[in-house]
PDB file of all heavy atoms in Angstrom:
ATOM      1  N   GLU A 409      36.069 -18.611 -17.897  1.00  0.00           N
ATOM      2  CA  GLU A 409      35.511 -17.250 -17.926  1.00  0.00           C
ATOM      3  C   GLU A 409      35.977 -16.434 -16.722  1.00  0.00           C
ATOM      4  O   GLU A 409      36.390 -15.278 -16.859  1.00  0.00           O
ATOM      5  CB  GLU A 409      33.988 -17.360 -17.945  1.00  0.00           C
ATOM      6  CG  GLU A 409      33.228 -16.059 -17.798  1.00  0.00           C
ATOM      7  CD  GLU A 409      31.763 -16.317 -17.493  1.00  0.00           C
ATOM      8  OE1 GLU A 409      31.154 -17.185 -18.140  1.00  0.00           O
ATOM      9  OE2 GLU A 409      31.227 -15.648 -16.578  1.00  0.00           O
ATOM     10  N   LEU A 410      35.929 -17.056 -15.542  1.00  0.00           N
ATOM     11  CA  LEU A 410      36.328 -16.340 -14.339  1.00  0.00           C
ATOM     12  C   LEU A 410      37.830 -16.102 -14.315  1.00  0.00           C
ATOM     13  O   LEU A 410      38.293 -15.038 -13.867  1.00  0.00           O
ATOM     14  CB  LEU A 410      35.901 -17.130 -13.095  1.00  0.00           C
ATOM     15  CG  LEU A 410      36.019 -16.388 -11.763  1.00  0.00           C
ATOM     16  CD1 LEU A 410      35.135 -15.142 -11.738  1.00  0.00           C
ATOM     17  CD2 LEU A 410      35.652 -17.311 -10.601  1.00  0.00           C
ATOM     18  N   GLY A 411      38.598 -17.058 -14.810  1.00  0.00           N
ATOM     19  CA  GLY A 411      40.041 -16.863 -14.897  1.00  0.00           C
ATOM     20  C   GLY A 411      40.399 -15.726 -15.837  1.00  0.00           C
ATOM     21  O   GLY A 411      41.302 -14.910 -15.551  1.00  0.00           O
ATOM     22  N   ARG A 412      39.710 -15.634 -16.950  1.00  0.00           N
ATOM     23  CA  ARG A 412      39.947 -14.549 -17.905  1.00  0.00           C
ATOM     24  C   ARG A 412      39.613 -13.197 -17.267  1.00  0.00           C
ATOM     25  O   ARG A 412      40.336 -12.213 -17.447  1.00  0.00           O
ATOM     26  CB  ARG A 412      39.105 -14.779 -19.158  1.00  0.00           C
ATOM     27  CG  ARG A 412      39.372 -13.784 -20.292  1.00  0.00           C
ATOM     28  CD  ARG A 412      38.478 -14.107 -21.485  1.00  0.00           C
ATOM     29  NE  ARG A 412      38.728 -15.444 -21.990  1.00  0.00           N
ATOM     30  CZ  ARG A 412      39.698 -15.745 -22.843  1.00  0.00           C
ATOM     31  NH1 ARG A 412      40.511 -14.791 -23.277  1.00  0.00           N
ATOM     32  NH2 ARG A 412      39.857 -16.976 -23.265  1.00  0.00           N
ATOM     33  N   TYR A 413      38.535 -13.177 -16.504  1.00  0.00           N
ATOM     34  CA  TYR A 413      38.155 -11.934 -15.814  1.00  0.00           C
ATOM     35  C   TYR A 413      39.222 -11.532 -14.807  1.00  0.00           C
ATOM     36  O   TYR A 413      39.621 -10.366 -14.733  1.00  0.00           O
ATOM     37  CB  TYR A 413      36.808 -12.144 -15.124  1.00  0.00           C
ATOM     38  CG  TYR A 413      36.438 -11.053 -14.145  1.00  0.00           C
ATOM     39  CD1 TYR A 413      36.027  -9.795 -14.594  1.00  0.00           C
ATOM     40  CD2 TYR A 413      36.487 -11.287 -12.780  1.00  0.00           C
ATOM     41  CE1 TYR A 413      35.681  -8.797 -13.696  1.00  0.00           C
ATOM     42  CE2 TYR A 413      36.137 -10.302 -11.872  1.00  0.00           C
ATOM     43  CZ  TYR A 413      35.740  -9.055 -12.336  1.00  0.00           C
ATOM     44  OH  TYR A 413      35.407  -8.072 -11.435  1.00  0.00           O
ATOM     45  N   TYR A 414      39.716 -12.504 -14.050  1.00  0.00           N
ATOM     46  CA  TYR A 414      40.708 -12.193 -13.021  1.00  0.00           C
ATOM     47  C   TYR A 414      42.030 -11.719 -13.638  1.00  0.00           C
ATOM     48  O   TYR A 414      42.641 -10.756 -13.168  1.00  0.00           O
ATOM     49  CB  TYR A 414      40.947 -13.426 -12.149  1.00  0.00           C
ATOM     50  CG  TYR A 414      41.984 -13.202 -11.081  1.00  0.00           C
ATOM     51  CD1 TYR A 414      41.719 -12.372  -9.997  1.00  0.00           C
ATOM     52  CD2 TYR A 414      43.238 -13.813 -11.167  1.00  0.00           C
ATOM     53  CE1 TYR A 414      42.684 -12.152  -9.019  1.00  0.00           C
ATOM     54  CE2 TYR A 414      44.199 -13.608 -10.193  1.00  0.00           C
ATOM     55  CZ  TYR A 414      43.915 -12.769  -9.116  1.00  0.00           C
ATOM     56  OH  TYR A 414      44.869 -12.549  -8.158  1.00  0.00           O
ATOM     57  N   LEU A 415      42.460 -12.380 -14.706  1.00  0.00           N
ATOM     58  CA  LEU A 415      43.760 -12.061 -15.287  1.00  0.00           C
ATOM     59  C   LEU A 415      43.742 -10.838 -16.188  1.00  0.00           C
ATOM     60  O   LEU A 415      44.718 -10.082 -16.243  1.00  0.00           O
ATOM     61  CB  LEU A 415      44.279 -13.270 -16.087  1.00  0.00           C
ATOM     62  CG  LEU A 415      44.719 -14.484 -15.261  1.00  0.00           C
ATOM     63  CD1 LEU A 415      45.079 -15.638 -16.187  1.00  0.00           C
ATOM     64  CD2 LEU A 415      45.909 -14.129 -14.364  1.00  0.00           C
ATOM     65  N   THR A 416      42.656 -10.625 -16.906  1.00  0.00           N
ATOM     66  CA  THR A 416      42.621  -9.559 -17.915  1.00  0.00           C
ATOM     67  C   THR A 416      41.582  -8.490 -17.649  1.00  0.00           C
ATOM     68  O   THR A 416      41.488  -7.520 -18.410  1.00  0.00           O
ATOM     69  CB  THR A 416      42.362 -10.157 -19.304  1.00  0.00           C
ATOM     70  OG1 THR A 416      41.012 -10.633 -19.369  1.00  0.00           O
ATOM     71  CG2 THR A 416      43.326 -11.301 -19.606  1.00  0.00           C
ATOM     72  N   ASN A 417      40.753  -8.696 -16.596  1.00  0.00           N
ATOM     73  CA  ASN A 417      39.674  -7.759 -16.269  1.00  0.00           C
ATOM     74  C   ASN A 417      38.611  -7.705 -17.367  1.00  0.00           C
ATOM     75  O   ASN A 417      37.886  -6.719 -17.508  1.00  0.00           O
ATOM     76  CB  ASN A 417      40.220  -6.349 -16.003  1.00  0.00           C
ATOM     77  CG  ASN A 417      39.269  -5.505 -15.184  1.00  0.00           C
ATOM     78  OD1 ASN A 417      38.545  -6.014 -14.330  1.00  0.00           O
ATOM     79  ND2 ASN A 417      39.248  -4.199 -15.434  1.00  0.00           N
ATOM     80  N   GLU A 418      38.492  -8.792 -18.118  1.00  0.00           N
ATOM     81  CA  GLU A 418      37.513  -8.858 -19.204  1.00  0.00           C
ATOM     82  C   GLU A 418      36.196  -9.418 -18.681  1.00  0.00           C
ATOM     83  O   GLU A 418      36.161 -10.511 -18.128  1.00  0.00           O
ATOM     84  CB  GLU A 418      38.044  -9.762 -20.328  1.00  0.00           C
ATOM     85  CG  GLU A 418      37.069  -9.932 -21.494  1.00  0.00           C
ATOM     86  CD  GLU A 418      37.591 -10.898 -22.536  1.00  0.00           C
ATOM     87  OE1 GLU A 418      38.833 -11.016 -22.675  1.00  0.00           O
ATOM     88  OE2 GLU A 418      36.764 -11.558 -23.202  1.00  0.00           O
ATOM     89  N   ILE A 419      35.124  -8.654 -18.856  1.00  0.00           N
ATOM     90  CA  ILE A 419      33.811  -9.143 -18.442  1.00  0.00           C
ATOM     91  C   ILE A 419      33.239 -10.032 -19.549  1.00  0.00           C
ATOM     92  O   ILE A 419      33.595  -9.891 -20.718  1.00  0.00           O
ATOM     93  CB  ILE A 419      32.838  -7.990 -18.126  1.00  0.00           C
ATOM     94  CG1 ILE A 419      32.673  -7.072 -19.342  1.00  0.00           C
ATOM     95  CG2 ILE A 419      33.307  -7.214 -16.901  1.00  0.00           C
ATOM     96  CD1 ILE A 419      31.620  -5.988 -19.155  1.00  0.00           C
TER      97      ILE A 419
END
Side-chain angles (χ1 to χ4, degrees):
E409 172 194 315
L410 191 61
R412 186 180 300 276
Y413 168 74
Y414 179 70
L415 289 175
T416 70
N417 201 33
E418 178 184 332
I419 58 174

